[in-house]
Amino acid sequence: MLLLRLLRILWVSIRYGLDEFYLGHERVAGLRALVSAVFFWRTLDQPRAVRLRQALEALGPIFVKFGQILSTRRDLLPSDIADELAKLQDRVPPFATEHVIATLTRAYGRPVEQVFQAFEREPIASASVAQVHLARLPDDTEVAVKVLRPGVAAVIARDLELLHAGAALVEWLWADGRRLRPHAVVDEFAKHLEVELDLLREASNASQLRRNFEGSPVLLVPQIYWDYCSRDVMVMERMHGTPVSQVQALRAQGVDLRRLSRAGVEICFTQVFRDGFFHADMHPGNILVTPDGKYVALDFGIMGTLTELDKNYLAQNFLAFFRRDYRRVAQVHIESGWAPKDTRVDDFEAAIRAVCEPIFARPLKEISFGRVLLRLFQTSRRFNIEVQPQLVLLQKTLLNIEGLGRELDPELDLWDTAKPFLERWMAEQVGWRGFIERVKQEAPYWSTILPQLPRLLHQALAGKAPPYPDPAHADLLKERETQTRLLAVIAGLLALIAVLLLTQL
Protein backbone atom coordinates (compact mmCIF):
# COMPACT_ATOMS: atom_id res chain seq x y z
CA MET A 1 0.00 0.00 0.00
CA LEU A 2 2.83 2.37 0.86
CA LEU A 3 4.46 1.70 -2.51
CA LEU A 4 1.18 2.36 -4.34
CA ARG A 5 0.72 5.62 -2.41
CA LEU A 6 4.27 6.68 -3.28
CA LEU A 7 3.67 5.91 -6.96
CA ARG A 8 0.51 8.01 -6.89
CA ILE A 9 2.39 10.93 -5.36
CA LEU A 10 5.07 10.67 -8.08
CA TRP A 11 2.39 10.52 -10.77
CA VAL A 12 0.58 13.60 -9.44
CA SER A 13 3.90 15.45 -9.11
CA ILE A 14 4.75 14.74 -12.75
CA ARG A 15 1.24 15.56 -13.94
CA TYR A 16 1.33 19.01 -12.33
CA GLY A 17 4.94 19.72 -13.26
CA LEU A 18 6.34 19.93 -9.75
CA ASP A 19 9.71 18.88 -11.18
CA GLU A 20 10.03 22.59 -12.04
CA PHE A 21 11.00 23.27 -8.41
CA TYR A 22 14.14 21.20 -8.99
CA LEU A 23 14.79 21.96 -12.67
CA GLY A 24 14.61 25.69 -11.99
CA HIS A 25 18.16 25.61 -10.63
CA GLU A 26 20.96 26.43 -13.03
CA ARG A 27 22.93 23.32 -12.05
CA VAL A 28 20.44 21.11 -13.88
CA ALA A 29 19.47 23.50 -16.67
CA GLY A 30 20.54 20.90 -19.23
CA LEU A 31 17.85 18.48 -18.09
CA ARG A 32 14.96 20.82 -18.85
CA ALA A 33 14.80 20.02 -22.55
CA LEU A 34 14.97 16.27 -21.88
CA VAL A 35 12.19 16.38 -19.27
CA SER A 36 10.03 18.51 -21.56
CA ALA A 37 10.48 16.00 -24.37
CA VAL A 38 9.63 12.99 -22.17
CA PHE A 39 6.54 14.63 -20.68
CA PHE A 40 5.45 16.43 -23.82
CA TRP A 41 1.79 15.65 -23.13
CA ARG A 42 1.61 17.95 -20.08
CA THR A 43 -0.06 21.35 -20.25
CA LEU A 44 1.73 23.60 -17.77
CA ASP A 45 0.26 26.99 -18.52
CA GLN A 46 -0.53 27.75 -14.85
CA PRO A 47 2.04 29.36 -12.51
CA ARG A 48 4.07 26.97 -10.35
CA ALA A 49 2.28 28.00 -7.12
CA VAL A 50 -1.14 27.25 -8.62
CA ARG A 51 0.03 23.85 -9.82
CA LEU A 52 1.45 23.04 -6.38
CA ARG A 53 -1.90 23.87 -4.78
CA GLN A 54 -3.76 21.74 -7.34
CA ALA A 55 -1.40 18.81 -6.75
CA LEU A 56 -1.99 18.91 -2.99
CA GLU A 57 -5.75 19.00 -3.56
CA ALA A 58 -5.47 15.98 -5.87
CA LEU A 59 -3.48 14.01 -3.26
CA GLY A 60 -6.23 14.25 -0.67
CA PRO A 61 -7.24 15.86 2.60
CA ILE A 62 -4.05 15.19 4.59
CA PHE A 63 -1.92 16.85 1.93
CA VAL A 64 -4.42 19.72 1.77
CA LYS A 65 -3.99 20.24 5.50
CA PHE A 66 -0.22 20.03 5.09
CA GLY A 67 -0.45 22.79 2.51
CA GLN A 68 -2.52 24.89 4.91
CA ILE A 69 0.08 24.53 7.66
CA LEU A 70 2.88 25.12 5.16
CA SER A 71 1.23 28.39 4.08
CA THR A 72 1.78 29.74 7.61
CA ARG A 73 5.57 29.39 7.21
CA ARG A 74 6.01 32.57 5.23
CA ASP A 75 9.42 32.93 6.79
CA LEU A 76 10.50 29.88 4.75
CA LEU A 77 8.48 30.07 1.52
CA PRO A 78 8.55 32.39 -1.48
CA SER A 79 5.61 34.79 -1.29
CA ASP A 80 3.86 33.46 -4.43
CA ILE A 81 3.71 29.92 -3.01
CA ALA A 82 2.64 31.04 0.46
CA ASP A 83 -0.16 33.19 -1.00
CA GLU A 84 -1.47 30.37 -3.18
CA LEU A 85 -1.33 27.71 -0.46
CA ALA A 86 -3.31 30.03 1.80
CA LYS A 87 -6.24 29.49 -0.59
CA LEU A 88 -6.48 25.80 0.29
CA GLN A 89 -9.78 24.90 1.89
CA ASP A 90 -11.05 21.64 3.32
CA ARG A 91 -13.58 20.67 0.65
CA VAL A 92 -13.75 17.08 1.86
CA PRO A 93 -16.68 14.71 1.21
CA PRO A 94 -18.30 13.54 4.47
CA PHE A 95 -17.80 9.99 5.64
CA ALA A 96 -20.71 7.59 6.07
CA THR A 97 -23.12 8.16 8.95
CA GLU A 98 -22.79 4.48 9.88
CA HIS A 99 -19.17 5.16 10.85
CA VAL A 100 -20.26 8.17 12.91
CA ILE A 101 -22.84 6.08 14.79
CA ALA A 102 -20.27 3.32 15.36
CA THR A 103 -17.76 5.82 16.83
CA LEU A 104 -20.38 7.36 19.12
CA THR A 105 -21.63 3.95 20.27
CA ARG A 106 -18.08 2.86 21.08
CA ALA A 107 -17.36 6.14 22.92
CA TYR A 108 -20.50 6.07 25.07
CA GLY A 109 -20.95 2.32 25.45
CA ARG A 110 -24.63 2.55 24.54
CA PRO A 111 -26.81 3.38 21.49
CA VAL A 112 -26.83 6.96 20.25
CA GLU A 113 -30.60 7.13 20.80
CA GLN A 114 -29.99 6.72 24.54
CA VAL A 115 -27.38 9.50 24.61
CA PHE A 116 -29.05 12.24 22.58
CA GLN A 117 -32.67 13.28 22.41
CA ALA A 118 -32.14 13.91 18.70
CA PHE A 119 -29.20 13.43 16.33
CA GLU A 120 -29.03 14.74 12.74
CA ARG A 121 -27.51 12.13 10.45
CA GLU A 122 -26.42 14.66 7.82
CA PRO A 123 -23.28 16.58 8.83
CA ILE A 124 -23.23 20.38 8.70
CA ALA A 125 -19.45 20.49 8.14
CA SER A 126 -16.81 18.02 6.98
CA ALA A 127 -13.04 18.46 7.11
CA SER A 128 -9.97 16.31 6.64
CA VAL A 129 -9.79 15.04 10.22
CA ALA A 130 -13.36 15.24 11.54
CA GLN A 131 -16.93 16.22 10.74
CA VAL A 132 -19.71 17.90 12.71
CA HIS A 133 -23.33 16.87 13.32
CA LEU A 134 -26.08 18.75 15.14
CA ALA A 135 -27.87 17.11 18.07
CA ARG A 136 -29.92 17.75 21.20
CA LEU A 137 -29.06 16.60 24.72
CA PRO A 138 -31.71 14.96 26.93
CA ASP A 139 -32.47 18.37 28.50
CA ASP A 140 -33.18 19.76 24.99
CA THR A 141 -29.89 21.73 24.79
CA GLU A 142 -28.73 22.28 21.20
CA VAL A 143 -25.21 20.97 20.64
CA ALA A 144 -22.68 20.36 17.88
CA VAL A 145 -21.01 16.93 17.89
CA LYS A 146 -17.54 16.68 16.35
CA VAL A 147 -16.45 13.15 15.41
CA LEU A 148 -13.05 11.97 14.15
CA ARG A 149 -12.85 10.23 10.80
CA PRO A 150 -12.49 6.46 11.24
CA GLY A 151 -8.96 5.22 10.61
CA VAL A 152 -7.63 8.74 10.11
CA ALA A 153 -4.71 8.18 12.52
CA ALA A 154 -3.35 5.31 10.39
CA VAL A 155 -3.75 7.34 7.18
CA ILE A 156 -1.92 10.28 8.75
CA ALA A 157 0.93 8.08 10.04
CA ARG A 158 1.39 6.62 6.54
CA ASP A 159 1.32 10.00 4.83
CA LEU A 160 3.73 11.49 7.38
CA GLU A 161 6.26 8.82 6.42
CA LEU A 162 5.90 9.84 2.81
CA LEU A 163 6.19 13.53 3.69
CA HIS A 164 9.45 12.86 5.52
CA ALA A 165 10.70 10.94 2.48
CA GLY A 166 9.72 13.93 0.34
CA ALA A 167 11.53 16.25 2.75
CA ALA A 168 14.70 14.22 2.30
CA LEU A 169 14.34 14.52 -1.48
CA VAL A 170 13.85 18.28 -1.21
CA GLU A 171 17.06 18.60 0.82
CA TRP A 172 18.94 16.44 -1.67
CA LEU A 173 17.63 17.87 -4.93
CA TRP A 174 16.86 21.53 -4.24
CA ALA A 175 19.62 24.07 -3.68
CA ASP A 176 17.67 25.86 -0.94
CA GLY A 177 16.36 22.63 0.54
CA ARG A 178 18.42 22.65 3.74
CA ARG A 179 17.67 26.30 4.47
CA LEU A 180 13.94 25.59 4.21
CA ARG A 181 14.29 22.86 6.88
CA PRO A 182 11.62 20.60 5.34
CA HIS A 183 11.93 17.93 8.06
CA ALA A 184 11.23 20.59 10.72
CA VAL A 185 8.18 21.72 8.75
CA VAL A 186 6.86 18.14 8.58
CA ASP A 187 7.47 17.74 12.33
CA GLU A 188 5.53 20.94 12.96
CA PHE A 189 2.68 19.60 10.82
CA ALA A 190 2.72 16.34 12.80
CA LYS A 191 2.50 18.30 16.05
CA HIS A 192 -0.60 20.16 14.87
CA LEU A 193 -2.20 16.92 13.71
CA GLU A 194 -1.47 15.29 17.07
CA VAL A 195 -3.63 17.96 18.73
CA GLU A 196 -6.39 17.63 16.14
CA LEU A 197 -6.49 13.85 16.59
CA ASP A 198 -7.20 14.27 20.31
CA LEU A 199 -10.54 16.06 20.64
CA LEU A 200 -10.12 16.25 24.42
CA ARG A 201 -7.20 18.61 23.87
CA GLU A 202 -9.23 20.72 21.47
CA ALA A 203 -12.06 20.79 24.00
CA SER A 204 -9.65 21.98 26.71
CA ASN A 205 -8.46 24.75 24.38
CA ALA A 206 -12.04 25.89 23.86
CA SER A 207 -12.72 25.76 27.59
CA GLN A 208 -9.66 27.89 28.38
CA LEU A 209 -10.53 30.49 25.74
CA ARG A 210 -14.12 30.65 27.00
CA ARG A 211 -12.88 31.20 30.56
CA ASN A 212 -10.55 33.97 29.38
CA PHE A 213 -13.46 35.80 27.71
CA GLU A 214 -16.19 35.06 30.23
CA GLY A 215 -18.66 37.97 30.08
CA SER A 216 -16.91 39.58 27.10
CA PRO A 217 -19.08 42.03 25.12
CA VAL A 218 -17.26 41.22 21.86
CA LEU A 219 -16.46 37.47 21.77
CA LEU A 220 -18.50 34.32 22.45
CA VAL A 221 -16.94 30.86 22.84
CA PRO A 222 -19.10 27.70 22.96
CA GLN A 223 -19.47 25.79 26.20
CA ILE A 224 -17.97 22.31 26.32
CA TYR A 225 -20.10 19.46 27.67
CA TRP A 226 -17.38 17.34 29.25
CA ASP A 227 -19.62 14.41 30.17
CA TYR A 228 -20.07 13.73 26.46
CA CYS A 229 -16.44 14.23 25.33
CA SER A 230 -13.74 11.67 24.61
CA ARG A 231 -10.62 11.45 22.49
CA ASP A 232 -12.76 10.74 19.39
CA VAL A 233 -15.81 12.90 20.18
CA MET A 234 -16.27 16.51 21.26
CA VAL A 235 -19.68 17.94 22.17
CA MET A 236 -20.08 21.70 22.48
CA GLU A 237 -22.82 24.29 22.59
CA ARG A 238 -24.37 25.01 19.21
CA MET A 239 -23.62 28.59 18.20
CA HIS A 240 -25.82 30.65 15.91
CA GLY A 241 -24.57 33.40 13.64
CA THR A 242 -23.66 34.53 10.15
CA PRO A 243 -20.26 33.63 8.65
CA VAL A 244 -18.09 36.73 8.92
CA SER A 245 -17.23 36.52 5.21
CA GLN A 246 -20.89 37.25 4.26
CA VAL A 247 -20.46 41.02 4.50
CA GLN A 248 -23.67 41.91 2.65
CA ALA A 249 -25.76 39.70 4.96
CA LEU A 250 -24.17 41.33 8.01
CA ARG A 251 -24.86 44.78 6.61
CA ALA A 252 -28.50 43.79 5.97
CA GLN A 253 -28.79 42.73 9.63
CA GLY A 254 -27.69 46.19 10.71
CA VAL A 255 -24.31 45.10 12.11
CA ASP A 256 -21.88 48.02 12.51
CA LEU A 257 -19.04 46.73 10.33
CA ARG A 258 -16.64 49.50 11.35
CA ARG A 259 -17.05 48.68 15.03
CA LEU A 260 -16.90 44.96 14.24
CA SER A 261 -13.55 45.31 12.46
CA ARG A 262 -12.02 47.18 15.41
CA ALA A 263 -13.45 44.65 17.86
CA GLY A 264 -11.58 41.94 15.95
CA VAL A 265 -8.29 43.78 16.51
CA GLU A 266 -9.11 44.21 20.20
CA ILE A 267 -9.88 40.49 20.56
CA CYS A 268 -6.65 39.50 18.86
CA PHE A 269 -4.41 41.74 20.97
CA THR A 270 -6.26 40.85 24.17
CA GLN A 271 -5.61 37.16 23.53
CA VAL A 272 -1.96 37.77 22.72
CA PHE A 273 -0.89 40.34 25.31
CA ARG A 274 -3.30 39.83 28.19
CA ASP A 275 -3.62 36.04 28.11
CA GLY A 276 -0.66 34.78 26.08
CA PHE A 277 -3.11 32.23 24.63
CA PHE A 278 -4.59 32.92 21.22
CA HIS A 279 -6.69 31.29 18.51
CA ALA A 280 -4.20 30.68 15.70
CA ASP A 281 -6.66 29.59 12.99
CA MET A 282 -8.86 32.67 12.66
CA HIS A 283 -9.79 32.31 9.01
CA PRO A 284 -13.37 33.32 8.01
CA GLY A 285 -14.62 29.73 8.08
CA ASN A 286 -14.02 29.61 11.84
CA ILE A 287 -15.80 32.85 12.74
CA LEU A 288 -19.50 33.69 13.01
CA VAL A 289 -21.14 37.01 13.89
CA THR A 290 -24.32 37.32 15.95
CA PRO A 291 -27.05 39.81 14.96
CA ASP A 292 -25.97 42.10 17.82
CA GLY A 293 -22.42 42.28 16.47
CA LYS A 294 -20.50 39.79 18.61
CA TYR A 295 -17.89 37.41 17.25
CA VAL A 296 -18.27 33.65 17.72
CA ALA A 297 -15.07 31.56 17.65
CA LEU A 298 -15.12 27.97 16.36
CA ASP A 299 -12.54 25.19 15.83
CA PHE A 300 -9.85 25.25 18.53
CA GLY A 301 -7.36 22.73 17.16
CA ILE A 302 -4.56 25.26 16.58
CA MET A 303 -3.82 27.60 19.48
CA GLY A 304 -0.73 29.72 20.11
CA THR A 305 0.91 30.41 23.45
CA LEU A 306 3.34 33.11 24.59
CA THR A 307 5.41 33.42 27.74
CA GLU A 308 5.56 36.64 29.77
CA LEU A 309 8.95 37.37 28.23
CA ASP A 310 7.58 36.77 24.72
CA LYS A 311 4.68 39.17 25.38
CA ASN A 312 6.97 41.84 26.79
CA TYR A 313 9.47 41.67 23.94
CA LEU A 314 6.70 41.59 21.32
CA ALA A 315 5.07 44.68 22.78
CA GLN A 316 8.43 46.47 22.81
CA ASN A 317 9.00 45.41 19.19
CA PHE A 318 5.62 46.68 18.01
CA LEU A 319 5.90 49.99 19.85
CA ALA A 320 9.40 50.51 18.49
CA PHE A 321 7.99 49.92 14.99
CA PHE A 322 5.19 52.40 15.58
CA ARG A 323 7.83 54.97 16.58
CA ARG A 324 10.23 53.90 13.79
CA ASP A 325 12.93 53.23 16.38
CA TYR A 326 14.77 50.55 14.44
CA ARG A 327 17.71 50.44 16.81
CA ARG A 328 15.38 49.45 19.63
CA VAL A 329 13.89 46.71 17.41
CA ALA A 330 17.38 45.30 16.85
CA GLN A 331 18.24 45.53 20.55
CA VAL A 332 15.03 43.78 21.59
CA HIS A 333 15.78 40.89 19.23
CA ILE A 334 19.20 40.40 20.80
CA GLU A 335 18.02 40.90 24.40
CA SER A 336 15.21 38.35 23.93
CA GLY A 337 17.58 35.71 22.59
CA TRP A 338 15.78 35.62 19.23
CA ALA A 339 18.98 36.93 17.61
CA PRO A 340 22.50 35.57 18.35
CA LYS A 341 24.30 37.50 21.09
CA ASP A 342 27.15 38.37 18.71
CA THR A 343 24.81 40.10 16.22
CA ARG A 344 26.00 43.65 15.48
CA VAL A 345 23.24 46.04 16.48
CA ASP A 346 24.18 48.67 13.90
CA ASP A 347 24.15 46.17 11.01
CA PHE A 348 20.82 44.70 12.07
CA GLU A 349 19.37 48.18 12.58
CA ALA A 350 20.46 49.24 9.08
CA ALA A 351 18.86 46.11 7.54
CA ILE A 352 15.58 46.70 9.36
CA ARG A 353 15.55 50.37 8.33
CA ALA A 354 16.12 49.42 4.67
CA VAL A 355 13.09 47.12 4.80
CA CYS A 356 10.72 49.35 6.76
CA GLU A 357 11.37 52.91 5.57
CA PRO A 358 9.86 52.31 2.09
CA ILE A 359 6.82 50.79 3.79
CA PHE A 360 6.33 53.71 6.16
CA ALA A 361 6.46 56.15 3.26
CA ARG A 362 2.84 55.16 2.57
CA PRO A 363 -0.22 56.16 4.61
CA LEU A 364 -0.55 53.96 7.71
CA LYS A 365 -3.97 52.64 6.72
CA GLU A 366 -2.43 51.22 3.53
CA ILE A 367 0.32 49.35 5.38
CA SER A 368 -0.15 45.68 6.17
CA PHE A 369 0.73 44.99 9.79
CA GLY A 370 1.32 41.30 9.13
CA ARG A 371 3.44 42.02 6.07
CA VAL A 372 5.77 44.23 8.10
CA LEU A 373 6.29 41.35 10.52
CA LEU A 374 6.87 39.03 7.56
CA ARG A 375 9.50 41.36 6.08
CA LEU A 376 11.19 41.46 9.46
CA PHE A 377 11.32 37.64 9.51
CA GLN A 378 12.83 37.63 6.03
CA THR A 379 15.45 40.18 7.07
CA SER A 380 16.20 38.23 10.23
CA ARG A 381 17.07 35.19 8.13
CA ARG A 382 20.14 37.04 6.81
CA PHE A 383 21.42 37.27 10.38
CA ASN A 384 20.95 33.53 11.12
CA ILE A 385 17.99 34.23 13.38
CA GLU A 386 15.79 31.21 14.03
CA VAL A 387 12.18 32.35 13.80
CA GLN A 388 10.27 31.16 16.88
CA PRO A 389 7.29 28.85 16.11
CA GLN A 390 4.97 30.85 18.36
CA LEU A 391 5.85 34.02 16.43
CA VAL A 392 5.07 32.34 13.11
CA LEU A 393 1.61 31.40 14.43
CA LEU A 394 1.19 34.98 15.63
CA GLN A 395 2.17 36.37 12.24
CA LYS A 396 -0.37 34.06 10.57
CA THR A 397 -3.03 35.23 13.03
CA LEU A 398 -2.23 38.89 12.40
CA LEU A 399 -2.53 38.38 8.65
CA ASN A 400 -5.90 36.66 9.12
CA ILE A 401 -7.21 39.37 11.45
CA GLU A 402 -5.95 42.17 9.25
CA GLY A 403 -7.45 40.67 6.09
CA LEU A 404 -10.73 40.05 7.87
CA GLY A 405 -10.82 43.56 9.36
CA ARG A 406 -10.18 45.26 6.05
CA GLU A 407 -12.79 43.12 4.33
CA LEU A 408 -15.30 44.45 6.86
CA ASP A 409 -13.95 48.02 6.76
CA PRO A 410 -11.52 48.94 3.95
CA GLU A 411 -10.59 52.08 5.91
CA LEU A 412 -9.35 50.09 8.92
CA ASP A 413 -6.06 51.46 10.24
CA LEU A 414 -4.69 48.53 12.19
CA TRP A 415 -1.74 50.54 13.45
CA ASP A 416 -3.91 53.29 14.87
CA THR A 417 -6.25 50.73 16.44
CA ALA A 418 -3.49 48.62 18.01
CA LYS A 419 -1.11 51.34 19.23
CA PRO A 420 -3.24 52.63 22.17
CA PHE A 421 -3.84 49.04 23.29
CA LEU A 422 -0.10 48.29 23.30
CA GLU A 423 0.79 51.55 25.05
CA ARG A 424 -1.82 50.90 27.73
CA TRP A 425 -0.63 47.33 28.17
CA MET A 426 3.01 48.42 28.50
CA ALA A 427 2.04 51.10 31.04
CA GLU A 428 0.21 48.48 33.09
CA GLN A 429 3.19 46.12 32.95
CA VAL A 430 5.91 48.60 33.98
CA GLY A 431 3.84 50.98 36.16
CA TRP A 432 2.49 50.74 39.71
CA ARG A 433 -0.54 48.76 38.53
CA GLY A 434 1.69 46.04 37.12
CA PHE A 435 3.77 46.03 40.31
CA ILE A 436 0.67 45.59 42.48
CA GLU A 437 -0.61 42.74 40.29
CA ARG A 438 2.70 40.91 40.58
CA VAL A 439 2.70 41.43 44.34
CA LYS A 440 -0.78 39.85 44.47
CA GLN A 441 0.45 36.86 42.51
CA GLU A 442 3.39 36.37 44.88
CA ALA A 443 1.36 36.99 48.05
CA PRO A 444 0.76 33.29 48.91
CA TYR A 445 4.50 32.65 48.83
CA TRP A 446 5.41 35.76 50.80
CA SER A 447 2.78 34.98 53.44
CA THR A 448 4.93 32.02 54.54
CA ILE A 449 8.21 33.96 54.42
CA LEU A 450 7.33 37.32 56.00
CA PRO A 451 6.58 36.02 59.55
CA GLN A 452 10.13 34.59 59.68
CA LEU A 453 11.88 37.79 58.61
CA PRO A 454 12.28 39.50 62.03
CA ARG A 455 13.87 36.39 63.61
CA LEU A 456 16.09 35.64 60.63
CA LEU A 457 17.13 39.27 60.27
CA HIS A 458 18.07 39.37 63.97
CA GLN A 459 20.14 36.20 63.58
CA ALA A 460 21.87 37.62 60.49
CA LEU A 461 22.71 40.92 62.23
CA ALA A 462 23.91 39.10 65.36
CA GLY A 463 26.03 36.76 63.30
CA LYS A 464 24.20 33.75 64.66
CA ALA A 465 22.63 30.73 63.04
CA PRO A 466 20.82 27.74 64.47
CA PRO A 467 23.40 25.23 65.81
CA TYR A 468 23.76 21.88 64.14
CA PRO A 469 26.57 20.12 66.07
CA ASP A 470 26.25 16.90 64.14
CA PRO A 471 28.66 17.01 61.11
CA ALA A 472 25.96 15.21 59.14
CA HIS A 473 24.01 18.49 59.20
CA ALA A 474 26.86 20.59 57.73
CA ASP A 475 25.19 20.93 54.34
CA LEU A 476 21.93 21.89 55.99
CA LEU A 477 23.72 24.52 58.09
CA LYS A 478 25.38 26.00 55.02
CA GLU A 479 22.03 26.15 53.19
CA ARG A 480 20.35 27.79 56.20
CA GLU A 481 23.12 30.44 56.38
CA THR A 482 22.64 31.22 52.68
CA GLN A 483 18.88 31.54 53.16
CA THR A 484 19.41 33.79 56.19
CA ARG A 485 21.65 36.17 54.26
CA LEU A 486 19.21 36.21 51.34
CA LEU A 487 16.26 36.94 53.61
CA ALA A 488 18.20 39.70 55.31
CA VAL A 489 18.75 41.35 51.93
CA ILE A 490 15.07 40.88 51.06
CA ALA A 491 14.04 42.43 54.37
CA GLY A 492 16.19 45.44 53.62
CA LEU A 493 14.66 45.81 50.17
CA LEU A 494 11.16 45.55 51.60
CA ALA A 495 11.98 48.23 54.12
CA LEU A 496 13.30 50.45 51.33
CA ILE A 497 10.14 49.89 49.27
CA ALA A 498 8.02 50.74 52.30
CA VAL A 499 9.92 54.00 52.78
CA LEU A 500 9.47 54.89 49.11
CA LEU A 501 5.75 54.17 49.30
CA LEU A 502 5.39 56.34 52.40
CA THR A 503 7.15 59.20 50.66
CA GLN A 504 4.66 58.95 47.78
CA LEU A 505 1.65 59.33 50.14
Side-chain angles (χ1 to χ4, degrees), residues 79 131 159 177 179 256 284 307 364 378 410 463 477:
S79 58
Q131 68 186 34
D159 282 348
R179 180 182 63 77
D256 185 341
T307 66
L364 280 179
Q378 292 172 335
L477 176 60

Side-chain angles (χ1 to χ4, degrees), residues 395-469:
Q395 185 250 335
K396 173 202 172 190
T397 301
L398 285 173
L399 284 172
N400 283 339
I401 290 296
E402 185 171 44
L404 173 63
R406 286 185 172 164
E407 184 177 351
L408 295 170
D409 177 17
E411 296 299 311
L412 173 67
D413 185 342
L414 190 62
W415 301 80
D416 185 57
T417 307
K419 185 178 179 182
F421 183 97
L422 289 173
E423 289 177 334
R424 184 172 65 253
W425 183 86
M426 284 295 292
E428 291 174 351
Q429 292 298 303
V430 302
W432 282 108
R433 189 181 303 175
F435 172 76
I436 292 171
E437 286 299 318
R438 284 189 288 274
V439 167
K440 288 180 180 178
Q441 293 172 5
E442 295 292 333
Y445 172 73
W446 284 106
S447 67
T448 62
I449 298 295
L450 288 174
Q452 305 177 47
L453 284 179
R455 173 173 52 83
L456 294 173
L457 181 59
H458 173 73
Q459 291 174 352
L461 294 175
K464 298 179 181 179
Y468 292 96

Side-chain angles (χ1 to χ4, degrees), residues 17-291:
L18 301 190
D19 49 87
E20 177 184 334
F21 289 94
Y22 171 60
L23 297 175
H25 200 279
E26 289 302 319
R27 292 183 310 179
V28 291
L31 292 177
R32 295 176 195 165
L34 176 61
V35 171
S36 297
V38 172
F39 301 118
F40 63 91
W41 46 268
R42 299 184 302 185
T43 302
L44 304 178
D45 52 353
Q46 296 279 6
R48 62 173 188 170
V50 174
R51 285 185 276 114
L52 175 60
R53 173 180 60 78
Q54 292 172 339
L56 293 175
E57 289 175 336
L59 287 171
I62 300 303
F63 283 81
V64 167
K65 185 162 285 292
F66 178 66
Q68 291 175 330
I69 299 296
L70 194 63
S71 71
T72 68
R73 297 306 309 263
R74 290 175 176 269
D75 57 312
L76 301 177
L77 296 177
S79 58
D80 64 323
I81 293 177
D83 289 341
E84 191 64 32
L85 293 184
K87 299 177 181 178
L88 286 170
Q89 299 294 328
D90 273 337
R91 294 184 292 268
V92 183
F95 57 91
T97 305
E98 289 72 20
H99 295 307
V100 175
I101 300 300
T103 299
L104 294 174
T105 302
R106 184 172 62 253
Y108 298 129
R110 50 188 172 140
V112 174
E113 294 78 12
Q114 297 179 16
V115 178
F116 300 104
Q117 181 191 117
F119 184 85
E120 293 188 10
R121 300 179 68 86
E122 290 298 319
I124 61 166
S126 179
S128 54
V129 172
Q131 68 186 34
V132 180
H133 293 253
L134 298 179
R136 287 181 181 271
L137 298 181
D139 63 359
D140 206 35
T141 301
E142 290 186 309
V143 294
V145 182
K146 188 170 187 177
V147 184
L148 281 184
R149 283 181 173 269
V152 68
V155 173
I156 287 174
R158 183 189 65 196
D159 282 348
L160 284 174
E161 289 182 25
L162 294 174
L163 287 172
H164 273 296
L169 283 174
V170 167
E171 288 188 349
W172 181 50
L173 296 174
W174 198 6
D176 287 337
R178 291 188 181 278
R179 180 182 63 77
L180 295 178
R181 297 165 53 218
H183 281 293
V185 173
V186 175
D187 287 337
E188 184 178 334
F189 174 53
K191 182 180 69 176
H192 288 306
L193 283 176
E194 182 184 355
V195 175
E196 294 198 50
L197 289 175
D198 185 353
L199 295 184
L200 282 176
R201 292 180 65 176
E202 181 175 343
S204 68
N205 289 339
S207 183
Q208 178 67 55
L209 189 63
R210 176 182 171 85
R211 187 161 58 250
N212 290 347
F213 281 84
E214 193 72 42
S216 169
V218 291
L219 177 65
L220 300 176
V221 180
Q223 179 181 349
I224 299 298
Y225 295 95
W226 288 104
D227 291 343
Y228 297 88
C229 293
S230 69
R231 185 179 176 88
D232 297 332
V233 181
M234 182 175 76
V235 177
M236 58 184 173
E237 174 187 6
R238 183 188 179 183
M239 307 301 286
H240 297 272
T242 303
V244 71
S245 57
Q246 297 181 13
V247 178
Q248 294 302 324
L250 294 175
R251 188 176 286 116
Q253 294 172 18
V255 175
D256 185 341
L257 298 184
R258 188 172 186 274
R259 189 187 68 81
L260 190 65
S261 66
R262 280 147 185 77
V265 177
E266 177 188 339
I267 291 168
C268 176
F269 280 84
T270 299
Q271 290 182 54
V272 170
F273 291 103
R274 187 194 68 184
D275 306 325
F277 182 78
F278 60 94
H279 196 304
D281 199 18
M282 295 290 285
H283 63 75
N286 286 340
I287 306 173
L288 303 177
V289 178
T290 64

Side-chain angles (χ1 to χ4, degrees), residues 269 318 322 367-374 398-399 402 406 414-415 418 422:
F269 280 84
F318 288 151
F322 287 136
I367 299 173
S368 168
F369 197 61
R371 297 284 179 183
V372 171
L373 193 59
L374 168 61
L398 285 173
L399 284 172
E402 185 171 44
R406 286 185 172 164
L414 190 62
W415 301 80
L422 289 173

